[in-house]
Every structure is written in C-alpha cells, then in structure tokens.
Amino acid sequence: MENSAALLVIVDSANVVGSVPDGWWRDRRGAAERLRDRLAGQGLPGRTDPAEPVELVLVVEGAARGVESVPGVRVESAPGSGDDHMVGLVAGAGGRPVLVVTADRELRRRVTALGATVAGPRTVRP
C-alpha cells in the first residue's frame, strides 16, 4: 500500500540485474525475482534511519513482465518502455521524495529533471 510520506524508491530491474554478468540473460524473469526477493529481505541497504518509511517499487519489462509483488516490494510490469514507465511514476509522485536506482544515463537525466534523486545499482546490489 502506498504511503504518501514514505520515500519512493524506484528500482530499474533491467539495469540493476544487467549490472553484474552472472548469467541473468538466460533467465531474465528469474533474475528479476531474485532481485525482488533480495529487496524484500533487506530493504534499502545503507539507510541511516531504518524507521523512516520506504516504498520499494521494482519496474520490470520485456521477458521479466509478470513478476509478482511480494510484501515490501511492489512490482510494476511496464507495458512498453521501462524507462518511460519509471518517468511516469516519478512524475506522478505528487511532490514526495523519490530515489531512482539505475545507471542508465538518459533515464537519470529524465528523472532528475523531475526532481528525483538517483543512485547506482550498487545501492541495492552488492
């Protein structure tokens, strides 16, 4: 459930999964599910105040569409471009703080223009 006071963290699944050459390309859906499960288990690493509410959204696209949400992580299947979907989520955040996790330079440019902050894949993946 959405918490309007919570930090909205949008994770670019394709970009984060693709940041480590561990064979993810053989099972894109499975790789996205493993990332989702890691996020559900550990939340957002490095939080200075773990009591601060965080809403985690994992955006999947392509072969990873259809990955289910789990407690603590809402999964959104982008109907088209994952980047466009994430930009739409940032635009619709209603002024709440947003962090987008991606290394994609163009996506970073687009979301920071809307007021989001960005962090690289290592924020959520060792």
Side-chain angles (χ1 to χ4, degrees), residues 12-22 24-25 28 31-32 35 103 121 125:
D12 181 351
S13 175
N15 190 268
V16 171
V17 164
S19 69
V20 177
D22 61 3
W24 60 264
W25 53 89
R28 294 170 193 259
L35 175 59
R125 184 168 186 164

Side-chain angles (χ1 to χ4, degrees), residues 37-48:
D37 294 347
R38 185 178 311 114
L39 291 169
Q42 72 184 21
L44 187 62
R47 299 280 309 179
T48 55

